[in-house]
Amino acid sequence: AQSVAQPEDQVNVAEGNPLTVKCTYSVSGNPYLFWYVQYPNRGLQFLLKYITGDNLVKGSYGFEAEFNKSQTSFHLKKPSALVSDSALYFCAVRDYNQGGKLIFGQGTELSVKP
Amino acid sequence: GAVVSQHPSRVICKSGTSVKIECRSLDFQATTMFWYRQFPKQSLMLMATSNEGSKATYEQGVEKDKFLINHASLTLSTLTVTSAHPEDSSFYICSARELAGVSTDTQYFGPGTRLTVL
């Protein structure tokens, strides 16, 4: 079965510093990977996805993610964090064996302090 | 980007009543919509997959007679919580997948509906 894991419940970063939110996956076949962000009491906003091609994927709001097949990882990164980046981040993989539904990680709460 | 709306954003109801939540894809057609439930500080739990013109597929443990889903058109799906009880209080989020194809398309999420059952 397809799955993703986000090993950190919370990540704390100072404003201006680089940030990384970790995600590892387990899939059979080629992975289709996604990152979403959720602000309090809001739905999820799509940030970026990896389907095929370049391992470094650029997304919204200055975020990028690096697909690493050997390490089965898809970590989310940003060179310089903003206080407004504070939110809940979800990694997800598409389970194309089950109608294409998304399998979500447990989420990582990012806190960026001034 | 693609926009998905949900209505209402917040609803408070009495125990025993039914509540309908609408999910609309505003600028694209969606053959498939998904309904999720989320508890505070937790991940999303998929409740059901809704396909236009056919019956919804419910995840294991989700009562289909309690959570009625209708996907009447390519832009609208509704979730009705029947005979709601306090334990049904939660944040309900829908998502819609573009018509482009199953394997590479993206799910876009609505803003969520906060249901509180008294």
Side-chain angles (χ1 to χ4, degrees):
Chain A
Q2 328 281 38
S3 67
V4 291
Q6 295 179 241
E8 301 158 317
D9 290 336
Q10 183 155 9
V11 171
N12 297 308
V13 177
E15 187 176 30
N17 283 0
L19 70 86
T20 299
V21 184
K22 295 180 180 178
C23 172
T24 59
Y25 65 89
S26 174
V27 302
S28 54
N30 295 323
Y32 296 150
L33 297 158
F34 301 79
W35 274 103
Y36 288 87
V37 59
Q38 184 181 31
Y39 295 96
N41 296 308
R42 303 291 295 173
L44 275 64
Q45 294 180 31
F46 169 71
L47 281 179
L48 50 80
K49 66 181 176 184
Y50 172 83
I51 303 298
T52 187
D54 289 341
N55 290 341
L56 185 64
V57 179
K58 294 191 182 296
S60 306
Y61 313 119
F63 284 93
E64 58 189 28
E66 186 171 9
F67 172 68
N68 188 316
K69 190 172 183 178
S70 62
Q71 296 185 7
T72 62
S73 67
F74 188 55
H75 300 333
L76 182 70
K77 300 182 180 185
K78 186 173 182 180
S80 179
L82 300 172
V83 172
S84 57
D85 292 330
S86 299
L88 193 55
Y89 289 79
F90 290 100
C91 181
V93 64
R94 180 176 306 293
D95 188 344
Y96 45 83
N97 293 324
Q98 294 193 49
K101 67 181 182 182
L102 289 178
I103 307 297
F104 284 92
Q106 61 268 45
T108 298
E109 186 161 2
L110 173 67
S111 177
V112 182
K113 292 292 186 344
Chain B
V3 180
V4 176
S5 70
Q6 268 183 255
H7 179 79
S9 58
R10 186 180 294 268
V11 57
I12 300 172
C13 68
K14 292 182 179 180
S15 186
T17 60
S18 294
V19 175
K20 180 185 282 189
I21 302 169
E22 291 187 350
C23 177
R24 294 181 184 271
S25 56
L26 297 185
D27 51 2
F28 66 99
Q29 292 184 320
T31 50
T32 305
M33 291 184 172
F34 302 85
W35 287 95
Y36 296 84
R37 185 172 178 177
Q38 185 182 32
F39 293 101
K41 301 287 188 180
Q42 293 189 24
S43 189
L44 281 70
M45 182 191 80
L46 180 64
M47 298 173 65
T49 301
S50 166
N51 291 295
E52 186 265 338
S54 63
K55 289 184 179 180
T57 303
Y58 290 83
E59 295 297 301
Q60 194 172 8
V62 178
E63 298 176 59
K64 62 180 181 180
D65 294 331
K66 180 167 186 63
F67 298 100
L68 300 178
I69 292 172
N70 184 283
H71 194 158
S73 75
L74 286 173
T75 59
L76 173 64
S77 176
T78 59
L79 168 68
T80 301
V81 183
T82 63
S83 187
H85 288 93
E87 58 266 29
D88 298 325
S89 299
S90 191
F91 195 52
Y92 292 87
I93 307 175
C94 73
S95 71
R97 188 167 66 198
E98 290 186 88
L99 207 56
V102 173
S103 62
T104 62
D105 51 2
T106 301
Q107 279 187 38
Y108 295 95
F109 286 78
T113 296
R114 173 75 59 193
L115 171 63
T116 302
V117 184
L118 303 176

